Amino acid sequence: MKDSLKHYFPKEDYTYQQLDSAYKKHKINDKIFRQRREDDDRDIGAMIGFMKIRFDYNEKTIEKMKETVDQIDSIVSKKFEH
């Protein structure tokens, strides 16, 4: 995803507003995020939409996204242990 965005933002210094503008230009449907994920949409509009959601959660780096995944995995694992 980040490699695809490098075409539009070579320095990877995009803002939420820039992502939003690119999303409006490249989206191919009006599916909500969950629908795009379940349908495994991989168009550039879907990828930009995903990055916008990550920004909403203040996850602006791959490392921060992985940290969130690890936290969720830990919570889920604890729930299933009981």
Side-chain angles (χ1 to χ4, degrees):
M1 175 175 35
K2 287 184 71 105
D3 287 341
S4 297
L5 289 176
K6 279 184 181 182
H7 174 76
Y8 302 97
F9 306 102
K11 296 181 182 179
E12 296 184 41
D13 59 348
Y14 40 84
T15 65
Y16 184 90
Q17 290 76 19
Q18 289 170 312
L19 287 174
D20 190 52
S21 178
Y23 175 71
K24 289 175 183 171
K25 180 178 177 183
H26 294 285
K27 74 177 184 167
I28 61 171
N29 58 53
D30 288 324
K31 294 179 186 176
I32 61 171
F33 174 73
R34 184 180 185 124
Q35 289 171 316
R36 289 194 307 266
R37 186 180 67 201
E38 289 173 354
D39 293 346
D40 199 26
D41 289 353
R42 295 179 182 263
D43 61 273
I44 191 69
M47 290 188 281
I48 293 169
F50 174 79
M51 288 302 293
K52 284 177 52 181
I53 290 169
R54 301 294 22 121
F55 265 59
D56 289 340
Y57 289 101
N58 200 31
E59 296 174 354
K60 298 178 183 175
T61 65
I62 294 294
E63 293 76 23
K64 184 64 178 159
M65 288 180 206
K66 288 179 181 176
E67 183 181 307
T68 299
V69 168
D70 291 343
Q71 290 172 355
I72 292 170
D73 284 346
S74 176
I75 291 167
V76 169
S77 293
K78 287 179 185 176
K79 294 285 184 187
F80 283 113
E81 288 175 1
H82 296 9

